[in-house]
Amino acid sequence: MTRSDLDRLARAALLVPFPGSTAPRWLLRLLEDGLGGVTLFALNGNVPDRERLAALTAELVKAGDPVITIDEEGGDVTRLAHTTGSPYPGNAALGSVDDPELTRRVHHSLGAELAGVGVNMDFAPSVDVNTADDNPIIGTRSFGSDPLLVARHAAAATTGLQQAGVAACAKHFPGHGATREDSHLGVPIVDADLDLLDRRELVPFRAAIDAGAQAVMTAHLNLPAITQGVPATLSHAAITGLLREHLGYQGVVVTDALDMRGASEKIGIPEAAVRALSAGADLMCLGSREYEDSVRAILEAIIAAVRSGRLPLERLAEGADRTERLKTWLSAGTPGTVDPSVGMEAARRAARLSGELPVMGSPLVVELHAPGNIAVGPVPWGLGPWLPAEDLIRVDGGPVNTRDLLQRARLRPLIVVVRDAHRDPGQRAIVSALLAGRSDTVVVEMGLPVWRPDSAAFIATYGAAYANGRAAAELLGLAAR
């Protein structure tokens, strides 16, 4: 094999990020020379608006034949709607409704929106079984804690996306739902043997695979019983043994971002790419800031590993073949139709009211600070879009004078909005203090409703997307249905 052929195989293994809303020349050259694809990031400026995103993806396709990926789960994790919040509720809301046909319709519409702006692979659905209430990274991104429920919605979401011509990428294999650590920041441990994995984490992955998922994304997790201390993304036992041989999956395996500490903190991204390829992965998602110089270093590491015998050439060629088959599938896809009403239908069906609402009148709304995790990013949330500015108080996480808040709400209905209060003792303390002074306070939980205070009325939205916020606003009489 010539150096040129080897270079092309190495390039075919990469999903590269880039800055801005136009493609830099170095990226276009890589695409012309067989780059596997790109990953779009809102924080990189790749998604300024729909029109410019469509122009950008057209520019990329003109240069080559890329897989164009994005992390668009709907719900709390959105890139298309990162400035406003998603018009689609996320997985927790869909799981709470438990109507797989609704889940399919939501993901079909979401896929149609992606296809309409030239994105052909979605890093979704998240099919993690969220069994740890204090999980810092999954939470509302999961359909739920019951493996069979998650499985039927994993299949429905996969089907919906792919009926719209967009490849689904089920994640985070072999399952991030039992963790209490974020793999952006370290290597979480899943203490499960094969028997438990088969009964819990792997059930939704089987369903997604049976539904024809074109891709599966690995997670940077340590399963001591399987990977023996090695993150799954870098583990032959996890990818080749568990996913390929045990589950029989023969589609494309994509890594989670290799810039995450769980994959590369101790060894660097070039070495992580080599190890992931050796373990059986096909496409390397590099992360958001690995530009021209980093890409060159990663390619050189892959080529050197092949020449030294550490990375078999056949393994690299096998991955390139799988990616080519994916591209053939993508070229035959038929774009779906956006359903502008399905997001609100789902959000309304998910929203749950317990207790009896007081007469609302002109309420004072207090929103408590709850930053999103790294996967969510700085996406707006809450009831702000349906309130006059003077009726909304946002508490930013500093000291809170609850007596002052109660005084400001005197003679007015009081609503307090929280997000995953079960994970935040500060939120719980403020809510409890407000309820002690005003037993008629209405609590709106826009995360998982694990903690339910003894309030007169409690609304659970199962997510903080724009659609979830509007559903809550409608229940409160702040927005017309």
Side-chain angles (χ1 to χ4, degrees):
M1 174 170 284
T2 67
R3 169 66 192 242
S4 176
D5 293 333
L6 180 54
D7 286 352
R8 194 169 188 87
L9 286 177
R11 286 189 291 268
L14 302 188
L15 295 173
V16 170
F18 60 95
S21 58
T22 58
R25 182 59 205 160
W26 63 264
L27 177 63
L28 296 176
R29 285 196 299 269
L30 284 171
L31 289 168
E32 291 164 0
D33 292 337
L35 182 69
V38 301
T39 302
L40 303 174
F41 291 89
L43 292 178
N44 281 4
N46 300 150
V47 192
D49 55 53
R50 304 295 177 93
E51 183 177 355
R52 283 185 285 175
L53 175 56
L56 170 60
T57 58
E59 182 184 19
L60 299 174
V61 170
K62 185 177 180 180
D65 183 25
V67 179
I68 302 176
T69 68
I70 200 167
D71 202 359
E72 182 62 47
E73 299 175 15
D76 294 358
V77 178
T78 180
R79 308 301 179 235
L80 291 185
H82 65 98
T83 61
T84 59
S86 178
Y88 302 99
N91 288 355
L94 295 171
S96 74
V97 176
D98 196 14
D99 178 351
E101 175 57 15
L102 178 66
T103 296
R104 185 201 65 79
R105 289 170 56 209
V106 165
H107 284 81
H108 181 85
S109 185
L110 181 58
E113 290 203 31
L114 291 171
V117 293
V119 175
N120 56 24
M121 178 187 280
D122 190 10
F123 288 157
S126 171
V127 303
D128 308 284
V129 181
N130 196 67
T131 56
D133 286 341
D134 57 349
N135 192 313
I137 194 64
I138 301 302
T140 59
R141 302 168 68 194
S142 169
F143 291 111
S145 59
D146 176 358
L148 294 177
L149 179 147
V150 177
R152 54 183 173 264
H153 291 276
T158 297
T159 299
L161 282 169
Q162 296 192 166
Q163 286 175 339
V166 172
C169 183
K171 63 185 185 184
H172 306 81
F173 185 84
H176 214 313
T179 63
R180 290 175 170 82
E181 187 176 358
D182 182 349
S183 52
H184 291 87
L185 307 175
V187 184
I189 293 176
V190 176
D191 189 13
D193 60 14
L194 182 58
D195 179 66
L196 179 54
L197 290 171
D198 270 332
R199 290 184 284 109
R200 190 177 67 185
E201 276 82 4
L202 300 184
V203 175
F205 283 100
R206 284 194 178 92
I209 291 168
D210 289 345
Q214 290 294 309
V216 170
M217 176 178 281
T218 64
H220 313 320
L221 307 170
N222 173 20
L223 291 87
I226 306 295
T227 68
Q228 299 179 341
V230 178
T233 293
L234 313 181
S235 167
H236 187 275
I239 299 177
T240 300
L242 199 59
L243 181 56
R244 296 286 190 211
E245 297 172 359
H246 186 65
L247 296 188
Y249 180 66
Q250 295 304 314
V252 170
V253 174
V254 184
T255 70
D256 206 345
L258 293 180
D259 65 345
M260 294 163 62
R261 292 181 184 176
S264 61
E265 181 179 28
K266 295 181 179 179
I267 60 175
I269 295 171
E271 176 64 15
V274 170
R275 295 190 190 184
L277 284 163
S278 298
D282 305 309
L283 280 173
M284 309 296 105
C285 176
L286 303 185
S288 61
R289 302 293 183 189
E290 307 311 312
Y291 301 152
E292 183 176 11
D293 290 344
S294 293
V295 172
R296 185 181 301 113
I298 293 163
L299 289 172
E300 288 300 328
I302 294 170
I303 291 164
V306 172
R307 289 183 161 176
S308 70
R310 287 185 61 211
L311 174 61
L313 178 63
E314 295 78 12
R315 171 77 274 283
L316 196 60
E318 176 187 55
D321 286 345
R322 285 201 183 96
T323 300
E324 281 304 309
R325 290 198 294 272
L326 169 63
K327 291 179 178 181
T328 299
W329 183 91
L330 292 172
S331 68
T334 302
T337 302
V338 175
D339 182 346
S341 66
V342 72
M344 280 312 306
E345 176 190 341
R348 288 174 183 135
R349 291 177 63 183
R352 303 280 193 275
L353 168 62
S354 304
E356 186 173 345
L357 289 170
V359 176
M360 279 293 109
S362 176
L364 180 70
V365 177
V366 178
E367 288 185 354
L368 303 186
H369 176 71
N373 59 47
I374 294 172
V376 172
V379 178
W381 68 282
L383 300 181
W386 302 279
L387 289 167
E390 61 270 19
D391 291 345
L392 177 64
I393 298 173
R394 287 194 169 97
V395 177
D396 64 3
V400 177
N401 187 331
T402 54
R403 285 182 292 182
D404 178 61
L405 292 176
L406 290 167
Q407 179 61 27
R408 293 177 67 174
R410 190 170 61 89
L411 304 179
R412 301 177 65 183
L414 177 60
I415 301 168
V416 59
V417 183
V418 298
R419 185 177 182 183
D420 286 330
H422 67 285
R423 297 187 58 243
D424 190 330
Q427 289 188 57
R428 298 197 300 274
I430 294 170
V431 172
S432 297
L434 292 175
L435 284 169
R438 284 280 300 271
S439 61
D440 63 342
T441 298
V442 177
V443 178
V444 179
E445 170 60 81
M446 298 193 71
L448 292 180
V450 176
W451 180 70
R452 290 179 179 254
D454 187 18
S455 56
F458 180 84
I459 294 174
T461 63
Y462 293 89
Y466 177 92
N468 299 118
R470 183 172 182 91
E474 290 174 355
L475 285 174
L476 293 164
L478 302 176
R481 180 160 178 166

